[in-house]
Amino acid sequence: MTQARESAECTWKSPSNIALVKYWGKRDEQIPANPSISFSLDRATTETSVKAVNRSNDGGISLNFTFEQQPNAAFEEKLKAYLTKAAREFTWLEQYHLDIASSNTFPHSSGIASSASAYSAVALCLCTLHEEITGNKLQDFYRKASTWARIGSGSACRSVYGGFTLWGKTPHLENSSDEYAVGIDHLIHPVFQTLKDTILIIEKGKKAVSSTAGHALLKHHPFASTRYRIAGENTAHLLAILKSGDLDAFVELVEAEALMLHALMMTSPTPFILMKPNTLAVIEKIKDFRNQSGIRLLFTLDAGANVHLLNTEHDNDQVQYFVRNELIGYCQNQSYFCNSVGKGPVQITT
Ligand code: DP6
């Protein structure tokens, strides 16, 4: 570094995303066992501000972290470990004291995954500060942000873009990579740009098994290699479906992916059942509704009990009526959270 800047600060607001082909299983430093495809949400976001102030270099990371205006020792420790890794690339990090403040637009304990929005927001801040502090423009800003979001949490690398995103090397997409996600919005039929994601909060609170522990279960899983093969095939199929606008094929593939994720957990050496009775009840209701109405309403699941309902804008009034009248009773405290396909992260300038 030539001339150290006294201070620099920035704020990014970044979304969560919902996977359609799931990332489940990894090796080395957050290298996925298979490619995954997701879209970014518009309302489930994390806003993170980082202020970096030059200090004498004592070595190590100097950090104060607040989450929703409160100190949070557990998150601070995780973030410190992450920033220590990030200092490999952002070498200025150890010469600055960092004040990081983060907050979510959704309740933290709602069971909605927050690591994707959280780490994508931090990684975007690191890239912006890097340009400001070093005076050097990054060659590919979003690729770099995606790479560092991935190191924080795998699925976070898909959150640095708006719309649809693919992460993981696949022969079916030329510029795909295990290191970072790429935007695939230009390959998507307009009907899928109108997707709605209504997240039904079946169970609030911490998940029974963390994603990190869940991924690790794949290491000695009897079906792991079959899963990785099918996920690769599903990636190819979904790319074709997303291009063609074939909603029926979309329903079939996305639901099968969600159930396979849960089936893997149920059949792992240490088995976990992540669905709750209300998860299954809602799935049954969705199938009945689809059969009776002909509306392509479908579900997907994260590694938890909550249900993501997906439908197109065209059907949204009927779906929302169905949610209010028939599904809300299965949700904890009747809570659900409506999202659309989001436009991706935004830098907040003050
Ligand atoms: C089921 O990205 O949370 O949501 O890399 O260990 O942080 P880590 O895992 P994480 O795993 C997400 C798993 C998933 C599927 C997906 O988003 O693709």
Side-chain angles (χ1 to χ4, degrees):
M1 199 182 316
T2 45
Q3 169 110 48
R5 263 187 68 155
E6 199 41 47
S7 70
E9 57 191 301
C10 72
T11 302
W12 277 90
K13 184 174 178 174
S14 192
S16 186
N17 66 74
I18 179 66
L20 304 169
V21 173
K22 308 289 180 181
Y23 147 59
W24 203 238
K26 59 179 165 183
R27 60 185 165 83
D28 305 330
E29 194 169 47
Q30 303 281 84
I31 297 300
N34 59 260
S36 56
I37 296 179
S38 64
F39 65 84
S40 289
L41 303 179
D42 64 338
R43 293 185 57 217
T45 59
T46 298
E47 188 171 314
T48 297
S49 301
V50 182
K51 180 165 188 192
V53 179
N54 195 242
R55 63 180 185 127
S56 59
N57 183 4
D58 299 322
I61 296 290
S62 170
L63 167 69
N64 268 337
F65 176 72
T66 58
F67 180 68
E68 323 233 281
Q69 283 92 47
Q70 302 292 327
N72 186 316
F75 284 0
E76 181 169 309
E77 203 180 312
K78 276 193 190 169
L79 199 51
K80 207 164 180 174
Y82 168 73
L83 292 168
T84 304
K85 287 184 202 165
R88 292 196 314 245
E89 168 121 27
F90 305 109
T91 48
W92 48 269
L93 269 172
E94 295 191 350
Q95 289 163 310
Y96 284 78
H97 170 74
L98 305 169
D99 275 312
I100 305 187
S102 197
S103 53
N104 289 345
T105 50
F106 50 94
H108 167 59
S109 59
S110 62
I112 297 174
S114 56
S115 66
S117 51
Y119 278 105
S120 55
V122 171
L124 286 158
C125 286
L126 289 181
C127 289
T128 297
L129 290 179
H130 181 80
E131 292 191 337
E132 289 197 8
I133 286 171
T134 64
N136 297 327
K137 284 264 167 243
L138 286 165
Q139 256 205 354
D140 196 325
F141 184 92
Y142 286 96
R143 257 181 205 182
K144 190 61 84 189
S146 180
T147 302
W148 279 99
R150 181 197 103 235
I151 308 284
S153 176
S155 56
C157 75
R158 300 187 309 240
S159 278
V160 305
Y161 310 102
F164 289 73
T165 304
L166 182 147
W167 169 39
K169 190 78 198 134
T170 166
H172 304 281
L173 189 71
E174 214 187 325
N175 59 345
S176 58
S177 170
D178 283 342
E179 308 274 326
Y180 49 79
V182 292
I184 54 167
D185 239 18
H186 57 292
L187 300 173
I188 306 297
H189 188 281
V191 74
F192 292 117
Q193 297 290 359
T194 76
L195 280 178
K196 304 286 171 192
D197 177 4
T198 308
I199 309 171
L200 303 178
I201 312 297
I202 304 293
E203 187 186 51
K204 296 188 185 207
K206 239 177 136 163
K207 290 191 258 177
V209 55
S210 71
S211 294
T212 308
H215 288 287
L217 290 173
L218 266 277
K219 288 230 157 69
H220 305 288
H221 198 294
F223 305 144
S225 59
T226 307
R227 161 63 192 159
Y228 300 150
R229 178 179 55 75
I230 293 175
E233 290 166 6
N234 280 349
T235 299
H237 289 156
L238 187 59
L239 281 171
I241 290 166
L242 290 172
K243 204 171 191 172
S244 70
D246 183 342
L247 277 165
D248 288 322
F250 183 74
V251 170
E252 200 174 307
L253 187 148
V254 172
E255 289 192 348
E257 269 291 318
L259 292 175
M260 191 177 291
L261 169 71
H262 281 251
L264 285 167
M265 293 305 284
M266 287 185 210
T267 52
S268 64
T270 312
F272 287 96
I273 301 176
L274 303 177
M275 293 186 201
K276 294 289 171 195
N278 281 356
T279 311
L280 283 174
V282 163
I283 289 175
E284 287 302 313
K285 282 272 188 189
I286 292 168
K287 289 195 170 164
D288 289 347
F289 175 83
R290 190 163 65 222
N291 290 337
Q292 281 160 24
S293 67
I295 289 175
R296 275 82 146 231
L297 174 66
L298 66 144
F299 68 86
T300 186
L301 307 162
D302 268 340
N306 295 339
V307 180
H308 291 247
L309 289 184
L310 305 182
N311 58 273
T312 62
E313 164 106 77
H314 175 267
D315 298 323
N316 203 39
D317 287 348
Q318 276 160 284
V319 169
Q320 291 307 319
Y321 183 83
F322 170 61
V323 170
R324 282 193 303 274
N325 285 285
E326 303 218 28
L327 299 184
I328 204 170
Y330 297 101
C331 301
Q332 196 171 352
N333 299 335
Q334 309 205 327
S335 31
Y336 63 100
F337 189 39
C338 298
N339 279 266
S340 302
V341 177
K343 293 194 184 346
V346 280
Q347 188 177 0
I348 313 277
T349 43
T350 43

